[in-house]
Amino acid sequence: MEAGMNTFLFGIYPYIAITVLIVGSIARYERDPFTWKSGSSQILRRRNFIIGSVLFHVGVLIILGGHIVGLLTPIWIFDALGVSHGAKQILAVAAGGVAGVMALVGGTILLLRRLNDPRVAASSTFADTGILVLLMLQLVLGLGTIFVSLKHLDGHEMTKFMGWAQRILTFRGGAADLIADTSLIFKLHITLGLTIFLLFPFTRLVHMLSAPVRYLWRPGYQIVRTRKRDLKQPAE
């Protein structure tokens, strides 16, 4: 039973989550392009909440970048660069820890604001609040993995997750078996991460796919202000 659940969660569920993420995002963009954005409540934000948004978004972007590079870069590239598994593990713990704390502090500020500010709460949906709660839980689990990682500073444990992610990405079998004996907190972290992927197309998170990129080709704007007296026709 346990082996079957492990195979499903880490050998089958990743493909379900990624498929829903891709197909669902495309379908949402095609059918409801006007919802392809994050409903901003900046106009309702007090100035002291800006720091929460900056900490959260910067922290999350660093974490995402670290996960992509750390998990998907072939091990032989690190070996060729002379980066040992232990050094990579220490770098991941240090950078991930700092970024995780940043995101957690910022997310806490944003969540408290969303729950306690009546004006912001009135403009929020259940999905807005729910996905933020899941992201906060994911950050807590991620920070919790640091304490386990500190017991495996040789980097051997991390190579298991690298092998798992790269096998999933390249459709090779046996991915789930690679992490069958890893700590429960890592498995919870991965499972919740995949669940967030699954929910991604149905939440405000979709703006991550376009918001940072569209500015590269967006045409410039020129604002022309015309005084009312310039609009008046000259008297005959």
Side-chain angles (χ1 to χ4, degrees):
M1 179 67 177
E2 183 177 347
M5 181 61 68
N6 185 78
T7 300
F8 172 77
L9 288 177
F10 308 111
I12 300 174
Y13 188 44
Y15 294 110
I16 296 175
I18 294 172
T19 299
V20 172
L21 185 153
I22 296 174
V23 176
S25 297
I26 294 173
R28 178 172 175 177
Y29 186 79
E30 292 295 329
R31 298 185 61 181
D32 299 298
F34 293 107
T35 67
W36 192 272
K37 63 182 179 63
S38 173
S40 176
S41 60
Q42 184 174 1
I43 192 172
L44 305 175
R45 174 164 46 197
R46 293 194 299 268
R47 184 171 299 179
N48 60 322
F49 283 112
I50 294 178
I51 189 172
S53 179
V54 172
L55 286 174
F56 179 73
H57 287 90
V58 171
V60 167
L61 288 175
I62 293 174
I63 292 171
L64 284 176
H67 277 63
I68 291 172
V69 173
L71 291 175
L72 300 183
T73 302
I75 295 177
W76 66 265
I77 292 181
F78 289 106
D79 294 339
L81 293 175
V83 180
S84 67
H85 298 167
K88 179 181 179 298
Q89 179 72 74
I90 293 174
L91 177 61
V93 168
V98 172
V101 170
M102 287 174 56
L104 186 63
V105 171
T108 300
I109 294 174
L110 296 179
L111 181 60
L112 290 176
R113 162 181 170 267
R114 191 168 293 279
L115 295 175
N116 297 325
D117 189 316
R119 298 178 65 194
V120 176
S123 67
S124 302
T125 65
F126 176 78
D128 291 339
T129 304
I131 197 64
L132 184 54
V133 170
L134 289 180
L135 288 172
M136 295 295 291
L137 179 57
Q138 181 71 334
L139 287 170
V140 171
L141 288 173
L143 289 172
T145 64
I146 291 177
F147 299 100
V148 179
S149 297
L150 291 175
K151 300 177 183 179
H152 303 278
L153 289 181
D154 59 354
H156 176 69
E157 198 77 356
M158 181 59 64
T159 60
K160 295 180 181 180
F161 296 106
M162 294 174 67
W164 169 79
Q166 291 170 29
R167 286 198 180 197
I168 291 294
L169 187 67
T170 55
F171 300 97
R172 287 181 289 164
D177 297 333
L178 292 178
I179 59 173
D181 61 345
T182 55
S183 174
L184 176 62
I185 192 167
F186 282 111
K187 294 182 178 181
L188 292 174
H189 186 56
I190 293 173
T191 303
L192 182 55
L194 293 172
T195 302
I196 291 173
F197 282 2
L198 188 75
L199 298 174
F200 185 95
F202 315 106
T203 68
R204 62 192 291 147
L205 292 180
V206 292
H207 77 284
M208 293 174 59
L209 297 178
S210 58
V213 178
R214 62 190 177 94
Y215 293 101
L216 296 178
W217 62 75
R218 186 181 68 171
Y221 295 96
Q222 181 178 9
I223 299 176
V224 179
R225 299 169 60 183
T226 305
R227 296 182 180 180
K228 289 184 178 181
R229 64 171 175 265
D230 294 333
L231 300 177
K232 295 180 180 179
Q233 295 294 330
E236 296 181 359

